[in-house]
Amino acid sequence: MATINDIAKHAGVSAATVSRVINDSGYVSTETRKIVEKAIADLNYVPNRHAQNLRRGATRNFGILTSSLEEPVLARIEPFMQFANEANYTTTLFNTYNDPQREINALDRLKSKELDGIFLIYRTNEWSAIEPYTKFGPIVTLHNIERVDLNIKSVFIDHYEGYKLILEDLWQNGARSFINILGRSTGVNTKRRIKAYFDFCEEHKIKPHDIHPFLDITSRKGTLKAIELLDEMPTKPDAIITHSDQVASFIVSHFRKHDIEMPEEVAVVGFDNLIISDLMDFTSMDYSIKEQGRNACRLLLNELGAGPYELKPLQFTLSKRGTTK
Amino acid sequence: MATINDIAKHAGVSAATVSRVINDSGYVSTETRKIVEKAIADLNYVPNRHAQNLRRGATRNFGILTSSLEEPVLARIEPFMQFANEANYTTTLFNTYNDPQREINALDRLKSKELDGIFLIYRTNEWSAIEPYTKFGPIVTLHNIERVDLNIKSVFIDHYEGYKLILEDLWQNGARSFINILGRSTGVNTKRRIKAYFDFCEEHKIKPHDIHPFLDITSRKGTLKAIELLDEMPTKPDAIITHSDQVASFIVSHFRKHDIEMPEEVAVVGFDNLIISDLMDFTSMDYSIKEQGRNACRLLLNELGAGPYELKPLQFTLSKRGTTK
């Protein structure tokens, strides 16, 4: 049976060019395309199952399901969309507003073949209601998939290590008292950050602060409440560590407007290393958030046989700027 | 024939409640809903054509078509989505990446009734190719619709007035030399801003600067090039006026990192009054950008007979902050 290499030889082009013609991805001149298509016909080439699936009934459209359009969500959506676009896939974004029925309606589009795959950023339904849809197309998520039996891929990254790196850097630069501004108490990332902080306290033999007043700080309103608590403290902590650049940006802005010097009076650290941390010149933890979005797209493409795309490793690197020593 | 008011009277509730039940929008308790439904049955009430259309075959889903997900676009998308959500409509976002075929594919969903209406933020095709789709559902756009024959509604706002207000405020505070950082040279807003600047120069008898090096500054890369030009100038202008908060944020960030004092050495003004202008404490022109997004949704709902929702006026107000006198 003829292979891609046979076609390439027969047509006098590279195997990559043949692959581009078969998968209808990337640029091939009309002339070259005709030569390759002739070679395919001449040699009675039968594409493999993956390539067939890719062409048969595929709409070349990925769904993105989210429950909000906040900065850290967009930071993954945009590179995902761009990567899909370059692979010649369109994208359709559904905002479920945490409505389980809307999530199901969007998942149903896998069944009706309107979608070839789904990037499920945050889910609303139980996994048991979601997983059956993978029969109709691949699903990739940001969530931590703890059940290995689930046929769902994840680009989850454990924040424990990144959070620990922040704390250790602050410690090495003399910080001894800390306030952690934490996100959704039900979130895995929050739990892992709390564990990192408690482990850090134990290792350095310091007493952890009461985290409860600083839990579930997600919105601007929540952050303003946390800022009030910080302002009421008789002495500022040496360092404030936040779970997002969004929260950090509100705090940094507040301190600057009130002439509180950073890092001299208090250090502030963000998380995600979004462009705002560069613009506002505050330290933030980078973990290749854009690459995470692209990895989600790579996983979907691989599942559909359009790859193989190699996943890029996500690494924690502290981007140190003006708000820390 | 019975009217909504008759139903309301019979059921002992307000006309608004009856409307909510008929249109299935907004909160109505199960008990009240039953009473209203009974009244509808008792009086043999026949809903009007709009309400019928609304229920018959409607998917209660609005499409949002955009070619990018930049901040100023998102600033309209989010309130649009939220308003739609509150009116019990879902939203589906299509990123066309300026591909005319993708735009047509999305418009086709009006025909197939997958979409009830479309918020076309930026178009790629000619109006003559887009307009026929209004047969299948309403289309609202951000573009300036100059052809009155087109059956397309717009939430366009002329930037001339806002730009003039900025220039006059700077003048009153002593600025005499200006640099305008301008967007896409083909855009209506850019043309209107240039006209506002030239009119201003004529009125105050000053010589306009050469705008060409500062035209088509949209990306971060473009802004960095403009910043280079600014740095090379032997003397800074008294004021720099930008066409977006995004561009202003790069400039303000650059000046702060290089200890260039604002407004003493140079004033900087943004446009759109997004949250970044507050966080980074720079002056920006507000024109109720969120309300503009909501107005787009109100227009669609009105066209579908789900209103009437009153459009909110968009007003120019200069939000003065730390970068201007």
Side-chain angles (χ1 to χ4, degrees):
Chain A
M1 202 182 95
T3 67
I4 285 193
N5 285 324
D6 298 335
I7 308 285
K9 218 171 151 187
H10 189 85
V13 300
S14 71
T17 302
V18 177
S19 162
R20 279 203 292 276
V21 172
I22 291 169
N23 295 316
D24 197 12
S25 71
Y27 176 72
V28 182
S29 74
T30 318
E31 200 181 22
T32 306
R33 183 177 297 275
K34 275 185 185 160
I35 295 170
V36 172
E37 281 169 354
K38 191 176 173 302
I40 289 172
D42 287 350
L43 299 182
N44 274 321
Y45 172 72
V46 181
N48 68 31
R49 192 177 55 78
H50 282 319
Q52 274 183 314
N53 282 346
L54 189 71
R55 294 182 307 168
R56 190 202 307 145
T59 45
R60 301 192 80 90
N61 186 28
F62 288 142
I64 302 168
L65 266 69
T66 181
S67 52
S68 91
L69 278 186
E70 295 199 327
E71 285 299 330
V73 174
L74 280 167
R76 280 115 173 181
I77 287 178
E78 286 192 69
F80 178 95
M81 279 188 171
Q82 219 153 15
F83 199 88
N85 185 49
E86 281 158 22
N88 206 13
Y89 272 73
T90 54
T91 51
T92 308
L93 184 140
F94 304 87
N95 196 339
T96 62
Y97 283 96
N98 284 315
D99 178 343
Q101 189 53 48
R102 291 186 178 181
E103 190 171 271
I104 293 296
N105 291 349
L107 287 164
D108 270 332
R109 288 164 192 253
L110 279 177
K111 223 194 239 175
S112 62
K113 294 289 167 206
E114 285 164 84
L115 297 175
D116 291 345
I118 281 181
F119 182 20
L120 180 61
I121 297 191
Y122 296 122
R123 76 186 161 104
T124 307
N125 287 281
E126 293 298 317
W127 285 122
S128 55
I130 296 167
E131 211 251 0
Y133 285 93
T134 58
K135 273 201 303 283
F136 309 106
I139 297 176
V140 168
T141 181
L142 261 192
H143 284 281
N144 185 24
I145 301 281
E146 279 162 334
R147 287 174 48 191
V148 286
D149 59 313
L150 288 181
N151 181 26
I152 291 174
K153 293 264 190 302
S154 174
V155 289
F156 173 79
I157 174 169
D158 185 355
H159 284 191
Y160 180 93
E161 186 197 336
Y163 210 73
K164 202 76 180 294
L165 281 174
I166 296 173
L167 289 160
E168 291 297 348
D169 185 275
L170 291 165
W171 181 271
Q172 276 168 31
N173 287 289
R176 291 300 176 264
S177 59
F178 307 86
I179 289 290
N180 300 275
I181 313 279
L182 297 153
R184 273 189 311 122
S185 46
T186 51
V188 177
N189 286 338
T190 304
K191 288 173 188 161
R192 297 295 289 161
R193 288 198 187 101
I194 293 172
K195 176 151 175 55
Y197 173 60
F198 284 167
D199 286 357
F200 166 84
C201 287
E202 210 178 294
E203 280 156 36
H204 290 284
K205 297 183 175 60
I206 58 172
K207 199 174 154 267
H209 75 88
D210 178 12
I211 60 166
H212 293 95
F214 300 104
L215 250 179
D216 287 304
I217 306 297
T218 52
S219 60
R220 181 174 204 188
K221 213 172 132 195
T223 308
L224 293 180
K225 232 188 68 195
I227 287 173
E228 256 179 53
L229 292 178
L230 290 167
D231 282 347
E232 282 166 10
M233 291 172 74
T235 52
K236 291 244 168 323
D238 294 337
I240 296 166
I241 310 120
T242 68
H243 64 91
S244 76
D245 280 356
Q246 211 174 4
V247 167
S249 70
F250 294 138
I251 295 173
V252 168
S253 172
H254 174 81
F255 284 173
R256 290 218 174 110
K257 284 177 190 167
H258 292 80
D259 294 317
I260 294 166
E261 297 280 338
M262 294 167 284
E264 293 76 12
E265 290 181 63
V266 55
V268 178
V269 183
F271 213 96
D272 294 343
N273 204 30
L274 304 181
I275 191 151
I276 184 112
S277 61
D278 182 21
L279 290 172
M280 291 183 70
D281 194 32
F282 62 80
T283 296
S284 185
M285 178 51 74
D286 187 282
Y287 56 98
S288 336
I289 196 168
K290 287 185 179 179
E291 217 55 79
Q292 193 184 29
R294 282 191 279 265
N295 274 352
C297 194
R298 291 184 182 110
L299 278 169
L300 286 180
L301 290 165
N302 287 347
E303 290 287 305
L304 290 167
Y309 290 96
E310 204 179 319
L311 298 194
K312 294 283 157 69
L314 309 182
Q315 282 176 322
F316 286 110
T317 319
L318 191 61
S319 279
K320 295 190 76 171
R321 300 196 186 89
T323 55
T324 57
K325 280 172 200 159
Chain B
M1 203 180 98
T3 67
I4 285 193
N5 285 323
D6 299 332
I7 307 286
K9 214 171 154 186
H10 189 87
V13 300
S14 72
T17 302
V18 176
S19 163
R20 279 202 293 276
V21 171
I22 290 169
N23 295 318
D24 199 19
S25 72
Y27 178 73
V28 181
S29 75
T30 318
E31 201 178 22
T32 306
R33 183 177 298 276
K34 275 186 186 159
I35 294 170
V36 173
E37 281 169 356
K38 193 175 170 301
I40 287 172
D42 287 348
L43 300 182
N44 275 321
Y45 172 71
V46 180
N48 67 33
R49 192 177 55 80
H50 283 317
Q52 274 182 314
N53 282 346
L54 190 73
R55 292 183 305 168
R56 187 205 306 148
T59 45
R60 301 193 78 91
N61 186 29
F62 287 141
I64 303 168
L65 266 68
T66 180
S67 52
S68 91
L69 279 185
E70 294 198 327
E71 285 300 331
V73 175
L74 281 166
R76 281 115 173 180
I77 288 179
E78 287 191 70
F80 178 95
M81 280 188 170
Q82 220 154 13
F83 199 89
N85 185 49
E86 281 158 22
N88 205 16
Y89 272 73
T90 55
T91 51
T92 308
L93 183 140
F94 304 88
N95 196 337
T96 63
Y97 282 95
N98 284 314
D99 178 343
Q101 189 52 49
R102 289 187 179 179
E103 190 172 272
I104 293 295
N105 291 348
L107 288 164
D108 270 333
R109 288 163 191 254
L110 279 177
K111 220 192 241 178
S112 62
K113 294 288 165 211
E114 285 164 82
L115 298 176
D116 291 345
I118 281 182
F119 182 20
L120 180 62
I121 297 190
Y122 295 124
R123 76 186 161 106
T124 307
N125 287 281
E126 294 297 320
W127 285 123
S128 55
I130 295 166
E131 209 252 2
Y133 286 93
T134 57
K135 275 201 299 282
F136 309 107
I139 297 176
V140 167
T141 181
L142 261 192
H143 284 281
N144 184 23
I145 301 280
E146 280 161 333
R147 286 175 47 190
V148 286
D149 57 313
L150 288 180
N151 181 25
I152 290 173
K153 291 263 192 301
S154 173
V155 289
F156 172 79
I157 174 170
D158 185 355
H159 284 192
Y160 180 94
E161 185 197 337
Y163 211 71
K164 203 73 180 297
L165 281 175
I166 296 174
L167 288 160
E168 292 296 347
D169 185 274
L170 290 166
W171 180 273
Q172 276 168 30
N173 287 286
R176 291 298 176 264
S177 60
F178 307 86
I179 289 287
N180 301 273
I181 313 277
L182 298 153
R184 273 186 312 118
S185 46
T186 52
V188 176
N189 286 339
T190 304
K191 288 172 188 162
R192 296 296 289 161
R193 286 194 188 103
I194 292 171
K195 176 150 177 53
Y197 173 60
F198 284 168
D199 286 356
F200 167 82
C201 287
E202 210 178 294
E203 280 157 37
H204 291 283
K205 298 182 175 57
I206 57 172
K207 200 174 151 266
H209 74 88
D210 177 12
I211 60 166
H212 293 96
F214 299 105
L215 250 179
D216 286 305
I217 307 296
T218 51
S219 61
R220 184 176 200 186
K221 214 173 128 195
T223 309
L224 294 181
K225 232 187 68 195
I227 288 173
E228 255 178 54
L229 293 178
L230 291 168
D231 282 346
E232 281 165 11
M233 291 171 75
T235 51
K236 291 244 171 319
D238 293 337
I240 297 166
I241 311 120
T242 68
H243 64 90
S244 77
D245 280 356
Q246 211 173 5
V247 167
S249 71
F250 294 139
I251 295 173
V252 167
S253 172
H254 174 82
F255 285 171
R256 290 220 173 108
K257 283 176 190 168
H258 292 80
D259 294 318
I260 294 166
E261 298 280 340
M262 294 167 286
E264 292 76 11
E265 292 179 63
V266 55
V268 178
V269 183
F271 212 96
D272 291 345
N273 205 29
L274 304 180
I275 190 150
I276 184 107
S277 62
D278 182 21
L279 289 172
M280 291 182 71
D281 194 31
F282 62 80
T283 296
S284 186
M285 177 51 73
D286 188 283
Y287 56 98
S288 337
I289 197 168
K290 289 186 178 177
E291 217 55 81
Q292 193 183 29
R294 282 190 279 265
N295 274 352
C297 194
R298 290 184 183 111
L299 277 171
L300 286 180
L301 290 165
N302 287 348
E303 290 288 304
L304 290 166
Y309 290 96
E310 205 179 320
L311 298 195
K312 293 283 156 69
L314 308 182
Q315 281 177 320
F316 286 110
T317 320
L318 191 60
S319 278
K320 295 191 77 170
R321 301 196 185 89
T323 56
T324 55
K325 278 171 203 159

